[in-house]
């Protein structure tokens, strides 16, 4: 990572001749809320993947209803709304035009793709839906993949936790981040990597789908507690750094409406506050699930005790003289 004088970064006002964003796209106009809608593009491979995923999910729900089975509406809303919709909101909306021009926009993408959308995708239980709708042979293949050795390794909570917390440090504190700014394909690959990392970490924690690596609820809650300091440290480090992430990339764009040094402070704050908010919210969800599981287990034990008492009374009645 190249050191850049913050004064130069703050006063840079003239764009370098021929300066272009990643992939050769022209530099974006000043950021406004309206640009989120006017700069939308639907020609990326990720947009096609989102449409395909939504179509397959809805087809699965339709198949279930055809045979008279019910599928919770909330799961469909979670999967299509904050899940796939969240990914679309930060990748195919106008935000994509600014993700290599503003670190703060990239950080919003980071938070949504790695922490917000994966949670709601997991709450949609797509693996369970697929297992209930696929024919026998494809269902067996899916089960074989889900419970394969590779899946067991990557979804093991400690492995998934290590990948989840180490990835941002490996990206932002190396030359890799600058490379993703210069190459659009690498930047999009990072987006896909964020999504997969979040899914590998959060899906076993939520436990709706039959995935390997599910720990008891106290252990899951502990992992969420342990994740909070990492986001705090990373966010504060970005905010306090006098070195611009990406080297001289942002100053070289010469955006007269943006101060790269100030924008980096905002980006660090987004990561810090967003990471803590999501972690605490996720912790609350796990506690609620834990309480509900305890209540279900208590009801199950009560029913079992009632059945035992009924059998004992029946035996006593059968043994007593007429």
């Amino acid at each position: 990572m190249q050191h850049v004088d913050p004064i130069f970064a703050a006063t840079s006002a003239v764009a370098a001749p021929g300066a272009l964003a990643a992939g050769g796209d022209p530099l974006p106009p000043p950021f406004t809320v309206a640009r989120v809608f006017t700069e939308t593009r639907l020609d990326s491979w990720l947009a096609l993947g989102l449409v395909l995923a939504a179509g397959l999910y809805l087809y699965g729900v339709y198949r279930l209803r055809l045979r008279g089975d019910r599928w919770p509406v909330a799961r469909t809303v979670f999967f299509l709304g904050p899940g796939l919709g969240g990914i679309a909101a930060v990748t195919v909306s106008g935000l994509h035009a600014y993700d290599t021009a503003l670190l703060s926009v990239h950080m919003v993408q980071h938070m949504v793709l790695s922490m917000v959308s994966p949670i709601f995708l997991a709450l949609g239980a797509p693996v369970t839906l697929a297992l209930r709708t696929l024919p026998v042979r494809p269902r067996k293949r899916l089960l074989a993949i889900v419970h394969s050795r590779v899946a067991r390794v990557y979804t093991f909570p400690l492995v998934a936790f290590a990948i989840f917390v180490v990835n941002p440090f490996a990206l932002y504190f190396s030359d890799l981040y600058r490379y993703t700014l210069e190459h659009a394909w690498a930047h999009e690959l990072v987006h896909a990597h964020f999504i997969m990392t979040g899914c590998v970490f959060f899906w076993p924690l939520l436990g709706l789908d039959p995935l390997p690596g599910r720990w008891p609820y106290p252990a899951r809650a502990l992992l969420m507690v342990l994740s909070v300091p990492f986001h705090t440290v990373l966010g504060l480090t970005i905010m306090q750094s006098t070195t611009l992430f990406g080297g001289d990339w942002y100053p070289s764009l010469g955006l007269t409406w943006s101060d790269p040094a100030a924008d980096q402070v905002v980006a660090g704050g987004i990561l810090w506050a967003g990471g803590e908010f999501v972690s605490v919210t996720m912790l609350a969800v796990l506690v609620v699930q834990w309480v509900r599981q305890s209540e279900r287990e208590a009801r199950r034990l009560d029913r079992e005790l009632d059945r035992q008492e009924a059998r004992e009374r029946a035996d006593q009645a059968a043994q007593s003289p007429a």
Side-chain angles (χ1 to χ4, degrees):
M1 196 185 320
Q2 180 179 351
H3 179 78
V4 178
D5 186 353
I7 298 178
F8 167 75
T11 57
S12 178
V14 180
L20 296 173
D25 294 330
L27 292 176
F31 180 81
T32 63
V33 175
R35 301 286 184 190
V36 175
F37 303 96
T38 59
E39 298 293 326
T40 298
R41 277 177 47 184
L42 301 176
D43 57 351
S44 70
W45 62 268
L46 190 55
L48 177 62
L50 292 174
V51 172
L52 181 61
L56 290 174
Y57 191 93
L58 289 174
Y59 179 69
V61 175
Y62 172 73
R63 287 284 304 274
L64 282 181
R65 290 185 177 180
L66 274 183
R67 69 187 192 199
D69 292 339
R70 298 187 60 184
W71 183 255
V73 175
R75 291 186 179 182
T76 303
V77 172
F78 286 147
F79 188 85
L80 299 180
L84 296 182
I87 296 173
V90 298
T91 57
V92 301
S93 74
L95 284 179
H96 88 279
Y98 298 88
D99 61 1
T100 57
L102 295 173
L103 180 61
S104 57
V105 170
H106 169 78
M107 207 58 70
V108 170
Q109 291 179 322
H110 178 158
M111 296 304 303
V112 172
L113 296 179
S114 66
M115 297 193 71
V116 178
S117 287
I119 293 175
F120 289 99
L121 292 177
L123 291 175
V127 177
T128 300
L129 178 62
L131 291 175
R132 292 182 60 183
T133 55
L134 287 173
V136 175
R137 184 172 297 179
R139 182 165 63 245
K140 289 182 177 179
R141 290 178 180 174
L142 178 58
L143 280 173
I145 294 173
V146 168
H147 295 284
S148 65
R149 180 175 300 178
V150 173
R152 288 198 301 269
V153 170
Y154 279 99
T155 58
F156 183 70
L158 291 180
V159 174
F161 176 76
I163 296 173
F164 182 73
V165 300
V166 169
N167 272 344
F169 290 91
L171 173 64
Y172 298 121
F173 293 96
S174 70
D175 294 330
L176 179 60
Y177 182 63
R178 173 61 182 260
Y179 187 84
T180 66
L181 294 174
E182 296 173 341
H183 301 84
W185 67 267
H187 203 73
E188 292 187 356
L189 188 62
V190 167
H191 290 166
H193 181 68
F194 281 156
I195 297 171
M196 289 187 292
T197 300
C199 288
V200 166
F201 179 63
F202 286 109
W203 283 23
L205 292 182
L206 288 167
L208 295 185
D209 280 325
L211 301 177
R214 288 184 292 181
W215 277 5
Y217 280 106
R220 301 184 204 180
L222 178 60
L223 281 183
M224 288 310 308
V225 172
L226 293 177
S227 71
V228 174
F230 289 95
H231 290 100
T232 301
V233 170
L234 181 57
L236 289 176
T237 300
I238 293 175
M239 293 177 68
Q240 297 173 358
S241 176
T242 58
T243 301
L244 289 180
F245 286 73
D248 62 351
W249 171 266
Y250 294 110
S252 70
L253 298 179
L255 300 178
T256 58
W257 47 271
S258 174
D259 174 359
D263 184 63
Q264 181 164 303
V265 175
V266 174
I270 291 172
L271 182 60
W272 176 20
E276 290 198 356
F277 176 78
V278 174
S279 296
V280 171
T281 303
M282 182 67 184
L283 181 60
V285 170
L286 291 175
V287 170
V288 170
Q289 287 185 333
W290 185 6
V291 170
R292 289 180 177 177
Q293 184 196 48
S294 300
E295 292 175 348
R296 288 194 299 269
E297 183 65 18
R299 288 194 296 268
R300 187 189 67 81
L301 291 175
D302 288 341
R303 288 193 299 268
E304 181 62 27
L305 289 174
D306 291 340
R307 285 193 293 267
Q308 290 180 2
E309 291 178 359
R311 285 194 297 267
E312 291 175 357
R313 286 195 299 266
D315 291 341
Q316 292 173 359
Q319 294 173 4
S320 62

